[in-house]
């Protein structure tokens, strides 16, 4: 895309389908007069009185504890300069979107028409009752130093100038990891800057707090080295870095330097100067969009260098989005009164540690399945790594508590991390009780597609989380090679077991005859049965489960779902007293979670089968810690139609109430009546179902599957499942589109099923 096309696309993005990038959405229903009375007059008075009596109650009764102001006066907007507050508004909206997207933090962007620091300070300080934190943005130096210092003195909420401190945190993380790779210590290295603005000086302050010796730093700017006795273009913040040195130019200052930190201007670092630097230098050329030196030129001059830039088209991008949403998340969650050095260092260390872990599935997908592991070209995590919030926010929260600035300390960090998982993985909250239960009783789980990258990633997390003991099926050499290529930490023979049906005759040889006995009356001769055990990994996994070699199995991920299910059905019998198997699928929507059955197995269930399916589905829903509220869905609304499918659902209601008297169930009804209580009560005031249904029992496979897929696409739903119901042993057939997280979710569920089956 050429420059003009990109510009047009950017303008269209901001203009269509409605102008801007933000909107305000209510968090409560406002559907009835009663809702209105609670939300506003007279009910709102109760919340006002509670806050008047105890100001801390604002965190309980308003959104203040999750609300940040992104504030600018437009005096230093990106690379555009002093374009003013109104022209800078798209940037502030963009920052707000990042807060919400990455950390679930609500933001109002506020553009202040005040270039004088004193006036700006008064405006912002007066906003303290509205917000839980202040993110200052795009304010010129040295005004930004004066403004931030004054506001931190006056306000009892975090005030954070991201251009300074966000950059400093990411730079510190990059330096931590680069020095580790180079075998150097922060306390011993020499650092030279190009640039003496807000970001550069904040980087130096944080690095010194982490152990860098101030006397080992030389600062340069447009007038050369900041040295003792210099008067030109000096200010108090720059003056504290003045050194007694004979060097007067950047080239002279670089002699023997271990680190070049550039936060200045394009092309100011000449490749010819680099040989004078120390062995294995670190070059941080962070000017944007054009760095102080292009990485290819730096590497040509110094092949032993590690190079980082601010650009996404080169390795090691220093990007503030790695930091600011998550440091605010941690600060808000403990009611921090400030963001101090301890919190910044905790964030930097957490970011550095994450870069040393294997790439996540999300990162791998963004790189076409070939994201590099920790090394000279990966010293910083990628901005879209979903684990960032899980590492940074708890580290920041804990540092706030330990340093005495937390007003609402977190008592249970495990529960806190589980809540944060909801921001990274939308299935996090739904799956939390399942994972907790699975950790208490981890069992062996066979994975049919052991060579699949998603399976290996799921196995790695299952080991890390302690929810399962993976047994992966496939060619041993291929699996071991893929574990290494993906940078996973799985140790075959210790943390996972690899079984190869093609070579492990002692395990799979005896299974051929057992499998043949199961399928001999389906026209399968002995040699075909033996071949399937060796070549069909689904058969191998299901036979391991049937013979007790493992306690649960996950199959599928490739090929047609129905064919995989048919292979499983031949091997794993139904539970005693169950007439057939069914499939339940969960859909996590912005408004909550819906369970729908039967989405995959039973085409036209009879009334008796609808009854049986409902009981099994209710049992599965309870495993998620959710009490089922069940609607039998139909085109008929409480007897409005006499078609066969409507009569089946009507008859099923009677059977369900007789067989499962404790269930909250109603039907038959339209889908809107199932989900909206006011609609339902207008039609049927004595409904046994209260509130909104969370388990929808459909009259046919077509209805269930179409509804499920339509909701998933139209309402941005996240699927969990399908979950097989009614089988004697826990096995799940996954769909080809499933992610590693989806496989992990079904793993935990299968482990919980196995524990309950065994009385655990």
């Amino acid at each position: 895309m050429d420059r003009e096309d990109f510009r047009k696309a950017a303008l269209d993005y901001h203009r269509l389908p409605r102008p801007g990038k933000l909107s305000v959405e209510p968090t409560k229903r406002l559907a009835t007069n009663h809702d209105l009375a609670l939300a506003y007059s007279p009910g709102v008075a109760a919340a006002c009185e509670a806050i008047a009596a105890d100001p801390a109650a604002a965190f309980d009764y308003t959104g203040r504890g999750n609300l940040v102001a992104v504030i600018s006066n437009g005096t230093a907007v990106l690379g555009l300069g002093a374009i003013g507050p109104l022209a800078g508004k798209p940037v502030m909206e963009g920052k707000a979107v990042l807060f919400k997207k990455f950390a679930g933090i609500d933001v109002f962007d506020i553009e202040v028409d005040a270039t004088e620091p004193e006036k700006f300070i008064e405006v912002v300080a007066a906003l303290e009752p509205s917000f839980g934190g202040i993110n200052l943005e795009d304010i010129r130096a040295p005004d930004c130093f004066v403004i931030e210092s004054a506001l931190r003195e006056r306000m009892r909420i975090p005030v954070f100038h991201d251009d300074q401190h966000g950059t400093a945190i990411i730079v510190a993380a990059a330096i931590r990891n680069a020095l580790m790779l180079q075998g150097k210590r922060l306390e011993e290295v020499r650092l030279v800057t190009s640039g003496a603005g807000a970001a550069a000086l904040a980087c130096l302050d944080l690095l010194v707090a982490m152990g860098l010796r101030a006397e080992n730093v030389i600062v340069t700017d447009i007038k050369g080295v900041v040295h003792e006795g210099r008067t030109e273009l000096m200010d108090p913040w720059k003056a504290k870095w003045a050194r007694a040195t004979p060097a007067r130019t950047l080239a002279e200052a670089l002699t023997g330097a271990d680190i070049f930190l550039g936060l200045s201007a394009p092309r100011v670092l000449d490749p010819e100067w680099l040989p004078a630097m120390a062995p294995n230098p670190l070059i941080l050329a962070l000017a944007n969009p054009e760095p102080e030196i292009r990485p290819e030129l730096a590497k040509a001059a110094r092949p032993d260098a590690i190079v980082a830039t601010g650009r996404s088209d080169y390795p090691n991008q220093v990007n503030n989005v790695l930091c600011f949403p998550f440091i605010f998340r941690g600060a808000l969650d403990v009611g921090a009164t400030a963001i101090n050095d301890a919190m910044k260092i905790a964030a930097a260390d957490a970011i550095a540690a994450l870069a040393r872990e294997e790439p996540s599935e999300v990162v791998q997908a963004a790189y076409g399945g070939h994201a590099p592991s920790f090394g000279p070209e990966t010293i910083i995590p990628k901005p879209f790594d979903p684990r960032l919030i899980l590492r940074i926010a708890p580290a920041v929260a804990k540092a706030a508590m330990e340093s005495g600035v937390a007003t609402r300390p977190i008592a249970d960090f495990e529960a806190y991390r589980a809540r944060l998982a909801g921001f990274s993985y939308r299935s996090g909250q739904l799956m939390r009780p399942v994972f907790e239960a699975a950790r208490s009783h981890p069992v062996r789980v066979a994975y049919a597609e052991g060579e699949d990258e998603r399976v290996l990633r799921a196995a790695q997390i299952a080991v890390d989380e302690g929810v399962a003991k993976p047994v992966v099926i496939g060619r041993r050499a291929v699996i071991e090679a893929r574990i290494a290529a993906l940078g996973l930490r799985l140790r075959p023979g210790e943390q996972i077991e690899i079984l190869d049906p093609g070579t492990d005759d002692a395990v799979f040889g005896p299974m051929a005859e057992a499998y043949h006995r199961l399928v001999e009356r389906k026209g399968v001769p002995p040699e075909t049965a033996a071949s399937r055990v060796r070549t069909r990994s689904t058969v191998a996994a299901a036979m391991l489960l049937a013979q007790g070699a493992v306690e649960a199995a996950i199959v599928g991920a490739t090929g047609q779902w129905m064919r995989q299910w048919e292979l499983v059905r031949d091997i794993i019998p139904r539970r005693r007293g169950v007439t057939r198997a069914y499939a339940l699928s969960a859909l996590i929507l912005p408004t909550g979670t819906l369970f729908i059955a039967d989405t995959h197995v039973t085409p036209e269930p009879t009334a008796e089968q609808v009854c049986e399916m409902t009981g099994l589905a209710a049992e599965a829903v309870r495993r998620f810690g959710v009490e089922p509220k069940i609607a039998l869905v139909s085109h008929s609304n409480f007897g409005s139609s006499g078609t066969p499918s409507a009569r089946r659902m009507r008859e099923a209601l009677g059977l369900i109430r007789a067989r499962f008297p404790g269930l909250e169930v109603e039907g038959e009804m339209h889908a809107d009546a199932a989900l909206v209580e006011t609609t339902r009560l207008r039609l049927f005031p004595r409904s046994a179902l209260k509130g909104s249904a969370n388990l929808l029992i459909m009259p046919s496979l077509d209805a269930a599957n179409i509804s499920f897929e339509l909701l998933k696409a139209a309402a941005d739903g996240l699927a969990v499942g399908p979950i097989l119901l009614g089988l004697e042993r826990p096995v799940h057939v996954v769909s080809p589109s499933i992610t590693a997280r989806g496989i992990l979710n079904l793993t935990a569920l299968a482990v919980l099923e196995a524990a309950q089956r065994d009385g655990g």
Side-chain angles (χ1 to χ4, degrees):
M1 183 180 295
D2 65 29
R3 183 179 179 85
E4 190 55 37
D5 286 344
F6 183 79
R7 177 180 172 80
K8 183 179 183 303
L11 290 173
D12 287 345
Y13 176 87
H14 284 79
R15 182 171 58 91
L16 302 171
R18 54 187 286 192
K21 299 190 285 283
L22 290 176
S23 68
V24 176
E25 302 290 340
T27 61
K28 306 291 192 297
R29 285 180 62 88
L30 200 64
T32 66
N33 283 335
H34 181 65
D35 293 339
L36 182 60
L38 292 174
Y40 199 55
S41 181
V44 72
C48 294
E49 290 165 350
I51 296 168
D54 177 12
F59 294 105
D60 298 318
Y61 300 120
T62 76
R64 183 181 184 231
N66 194 53
L67 185 62
V68 166
V70 171
I71 305 182
S72 178
N73 62 4
T75 54
V77 179
L78 292 178
L80 303 174
I83 61 174
L86 183 59
K89 186 175 178 66
V91 178
M92 305 312 126
E93 284 191 353
K95 197 69 174 272
V97 170
L98 296 177
F99 267 108
K100 187 67 174 180
K101 173 68 176 177
F102 289 107
I105 294 172
D106 296 318
V107 167
F108 291 150
D109 66 290
I110 298 176
E111 292 73 38
V112 180
D113 189 7
T115 56
E116 307 86 357
E118 296 76 15
K119 181 178 178 182
F120 187 90
I121 290 165
E122 291 302 320
V123 170
V124 177
L127 297 173
E128 183 167 352
S130 296
F131 298 99
I134 302 292
N135 184 96
L136 300 173
E137 194 75 18
D138 291 354
I139 302 170
R140 69 190 172 198
D143 292 357
C144 60
F145 301 125
V146 175
I147 289 168
E148 185 188 38
S149 177
L151 291 175
R152 290 184 67 174
E153 282 288 321
R154 292 179 58 170
M155 303 180 82
R156 291 282 296 163
I157 58 175
V159 177
F160 187 82
H161 185 209
D162 184 48
D163 298 332
Q164 292 184 61
H165 307 299
T167 302
I169 290 166
I170 310 306
V171 165
I175 289 176
R176 273 265 201 252
N177 280 341
L179 294 183
M180 181 183 295
L181 291 169
Q182 294 161 327
K184 298 181 180 182
R185 299 177 66 245
L186 184 60
E187 296 81 1
E188 299 170 351
V189 296
R190 292 188 58 241
L191 183 148
V192 174
T193 79
S194 172
L201 299 187
C203 289
L204 296 179
D205 286 337
L206 184 59
L207 289 167
V208 167
M210 295 170 67
L212 177 68
R213 294 169 62 188
E215 59 267 29
N216 286 347
V217 175
I218 294 180
V219 173
T220 74
D221 63 8
I222 195 170
K223 294 298 181 180
V225 171
V226 176
H227 59 85
E228 286 186 354
R230 184 178 131 175
T231 58
E232 192 175 10
L233 288 183
M234 294 296 287
D235 57 54
W237 298 275
K238 195 186 300 184
K240 80 172 189 176
W241 296 100
R243 297 288 174 263
T245 173
R248 292 295 181 265
T249 67
L250 175 58
E252 293 169 353
L254 281 172
T255 300
D258 297 277
I259 302 171
F260 167 81
L261 174 57
L263 285 153
S264 55
R267 299 177 297 278
V268 299
L269 182 59
D270 193 315
E272 294 181 0
W273 303 340
L274 299 186
M277 292 185 72
N280 303 311
L282 170 61
I283 298 171
L284 298 158
L286 306 182
N288 242 333
E290 181 67 23
E292 286 82 358
I293 187 171
R294 288 270 181 168
E296 58 270 23
L297 297 177
K299 293 293 284 186
R302 288 300 300 262
D304 59 338
I306 293 176
V307 183
T309 71
R311 293 172 55 128
S312 60
D313 54 347
Y314 287 110
N316 297 325
Q317 183 193 18
V318 172
N319 189 331
N320 288 15
V321 77
L322 287 165
C323 165
F324 68 81
F326 315 118
I327 197 167
F328 267 99
R329 180 76 276 159
L332 292 173
D333 290 339
V334 294
T337 57
I339 294 174
N340 57 26
D341 279 352
M343 296 159 74
K344 296 174 201 170
I345 293 170
D349 287 343
I351 292 166
L354 179 57
R356 298 193 293 269
E357 296 183 29
E358 69 277 357
S360 73
E361 179 191 26
V362 174
V363 173
Q364 283 282 6
Y367 282 80
H370 302 288
S373 299
F374 177 61
E377 295 196 344
T378 309
I379 58 173
I380 313 170
K382 305 305 178 188
F384 33 77
D385 194 317
R387 300 168 296 182
L388 283 162
I389 192 171
L390 304 176
R391 304 294 192 273
I392 300 172
V396 168
K398 190 169 290 186
M401 291 164 56
E402 292 172 352
S403 60
V405 297
T407 62
R408 299 191 307 279
I410 293 169
D412 185 346
F413 266 88
E414 284 305 310
Y416 178 54
R417 289 186 182 92
R419 182 165 68 83
L420 291 174
F423 296 114
S424 295
Y425 307 103
R426 287 168 56 193
S427 61
Q429 288 297 96
L430 176 67
M431 294 301 302
R432 178 182 171 185
V434 177
F435 274 84
E436 288 178 351
R439 285 190 196 99
S440 66
H441 192 80
V443 300
R444 294 167 296 173
V445 179
Y447 294 91
E449 302 296 335
E451 298 177 13
D452 191 290
E453 174 187 325
R454 296 165 296 174
V455 167
L456 292 173
R457 290 189 181 282
Q460 177 70 75
I461 305 171
V463 168
D464 291 343
E465 296 277 341
V467 298
K469 302 171 184 176
V471 178
V472 295
I473 298 171
R475 293 167 293 177
R476 185 171 281 100
V478 172
I479 292 172
E480 290 176 346
R482 288 192 178 160
I483 288 173
L486 295 171
L488 302 178
R489 292 164 283 109
L490 292 169
R491 295 192 299 275
E494 298 179 40
Q495 297 172 315
I496 65 165
E497 183 179 359
I498 300 174
L499 291 177
D500 186 342
T503 60
D504 291 332
D505 293 333
V507 175
F508 294 102
M511 290 183 184
E513 184 178 350
Y515 176 62
H516 181 248
R517 286 198 298 270
L518 294 171
V519 296
E520 61 185 346
R521 292 189 179 276
K522 295 188 175 183
V524 180
E527 59 272 16
T528 301
S531 175
R532 283 186 185 177
V533 171
R534 290 194 309 273
T535 61
R536 301 282 183 91
S537 57
T538 292
V539 172
M543 288 301 299
L544 286 170
L545 178 61
Q547 298 204 335
V550 297
E551 287 73 41
I554 305 295
V555 306
T558 60
Q560 293 185 342
W561 188 92
M562 187 56 69
R563 180 56 184 147
Q564 304 287 354
W565 158 238
E566 289 168 352
L567 292 172
V568 169
R569 184 183 60 191
D570 290 341
I571 299 168
I572 305 299
R574 296 186 297 274
R575 279 165 48 176
R576 183 175 300 176
V578 173
T579 63
R580 66 173 298 134
Y582 308 92
L584 173 72
S585 294
L587 199 59
I588 301 171
L589 302 165
T591 53
T593 300
L594 274 181
F595 295 87
I596 301 176
D598 174 356
T599 53
H600 285 72
V601 177
T602 311
E604 297 283 345
T606 65
E608 291 78 9
Q609 288 168 346
V610 169
C611 173
E612 181 176 70
M613 178 202 314
T614 301
L616 292 169
E619 178 185 305
V621 169
R622 287 194 176 105
R623 291 195 186 104
F624 292 91
V626 175
E627 188 59 29
K629 300 170 75 68
I630 307 163
L632 306 184
V633 183
S634 170
H635 73 281
S636 173
N637 228 1
F638 303 108
S640 65
S641 171
T643 63
S645 69
R647 291 198 303 271
R648 284 201 310 273
M649 299 304 277
R650 209 170 302 148
E651 181 185 348
L653 179 64
L655 296 173
I656 293 166
R657 286 180 170 167
R659 185 172 173 183
F660 307 106
L663 289 182
E664 183 179 341
V665 59
E666 189 58 271
E668 81 289 5
M669 69 181 84
H670 289 176
D672 62 341
L675 299 178
V676 182
E677 185 177 37
T678 52
T679 300
R680 182 168 64 253
L681 294 180
R682 279 201 303 269
L683 297 165
F684 199 71
R686 288 179 295 278
S687 170
L689 175 64
K690 305 303 179 186
S692 180
N694 56 25
L695 172 54
L696 306 182
I697 304 297
M698 296 292 183
S700 69
L701 187 150
D702 274 352
N705 194 272
I706 291 169
S707 299
F708 179 79
E709 297 295 342
L710 187 63
L711 277 171
K712 184 170 69 171
D716 189 27
L718 178 70
V720 176
I723 302 159
L724 287 174
L725 308 174
L727 294 179
E728 153 78 6
R729 293 175 181 268
V731 56
H732 296 296
V733 182
V734 304
S735 63
S737 61
I738 198 165
T739 63
R741 176 59 55 169
I743 293 171
L744 180 69
N745 288 340
L746 285 178
T747 297
L749 190 61
V751 170
L752 177 55
E753 292 175 67
Q756 292 175 341
R757 175 181 177 274
D758 296 339

